[in-house]
Amino acid sequence: MRKSHPVRRAVLATAATVSGIVLLLSLKPASDPGSAEAAGGAPPAAESVQGGARPIGDGTVTGDAAQTQYGAVQVRITVSGGKITKAEAVQAPEGGQSDQVTSNAVPKLNQAAVQAQSADIDAVSGATYTSAGYQESLQSALDKARAAAPADPGGGGAAQARTVTGDVAQTQYGPVQVRITVSGGKITKAEAVQAPKGGQSDQVTSNAVPKLNQAAVQAGTADIDAVSGATYTSAGYQESLQSALDKAGG
């Protein structure tokens, strides 16, 4: 029995050494991916915007208005080279305490949108509803920009179509803002993303805007006739339409 003890100790020592080596080898790979994950765990900003298969198209796009507990939020983005170069809120809650919240939150949200290149941005403290509305409208704008992007950048025809939103025109009865789709140098679609509303304005807008949209497509310019009974809305429409045409390159 005494002679077997050294052998047993040698076997145990060898087994312990092998186990230690195996343990070290198994631990080392686990630490390396950790650093790689830290370096590349967050997806590049461009991937968030590209949405995988299709990039976002260049131009200025306005997202749908998102209704919040304190008012509507609507975001417009400018895209160049497939990246958001500018983000702004064309509508935000206003009146009373909302003015202070909006003036504090919107600039931060605009900056975050450009930095993140996606709608995956943090809410601004004290402006939860405005932040959520901003994200919703921003995502809508990104979706529209992606839909307007050419499926084949090297192709022609439909690849040249793009959507542009004119600046907001302030009128006596409220803001008017026009968005156009241009293809082959022609206006193929025109729509008012903002128009006077409330009271009698609802009736005037519902009557005038469809006629103005049709006139814009037919004329191909902002030189369109005012709709009877909607002088201010017509003037605002023309102003915003001209702005959209200027952005589209005439």
Side-chain angles (χ1 to χ4, degrees), residues 66 68-75 89 91-94 98 101-103 105-106 109 123-124 126-137:
T68 77
Q69 184 173 327
Y70 296 100
V73 180
Q74 189 173 29
V75 179
Q91 283 194 77
E94 56 186 359
S98 292
V101 173
T102 293
S103 64
V106 166
L109 293 166
V124 174
T128 306
Y129 290 101
T130 297
S131 298
Y134 188 101
Q135 287 175 291
E136 182 181 336
S137 184

Side-chain angles (χ1 to χ4, degrees), residues 34-47:
S35 58
E37 199 174 319
E47 284 187 19

Side-chain angles (χ1 to χ4, degrees), residues 113-224:
V114 174
Q115 290 178 339
Q117 293 293 305
S118 75
D120 185 16
I121 57 179
D122 293 331
V124 174
S125 178
T128 306
Y129 290 101
T130 297
S131 298
Y134 188 101
Q135 287 175 291
E136 182 181 336
S137 184
L138 173 58
Q139 185 60 59
S140 169
L142 286 168
D143 291 342
K144 290 179 181 180
R146 189 172 292 115
D152 178 10
Q160 297 176 1
R162 66 189 195 121
T163 302
V164 185
T165 305
D167 294 334
V168 176
Q170 298 296 336
T171 77
Q172 184 174 327
Y173 296 100
V176 179
Q177 187 175 30
V178 179
R179 179 171 61 210
I180 58 173
T181 300
V182 180
S183 179
K186 295 182 179 180
I187 300 174
T188 57
K189 184 180 180 182
E191 54 187 323
V193 293
Q194 287 194 74
K197 57 185 178 180
Q200 191 175 354
S201 291
D202 289 338
Q203 184 176 348
V204 173
T205 293
S206 63
N207 173 59
V209 167
K211 295 178 180 178
L212 292 167
N213 290 339
Q214 185 178 8
V217 174
Q218 289 177 342
T221 72
D223 186 15
I224 57 179

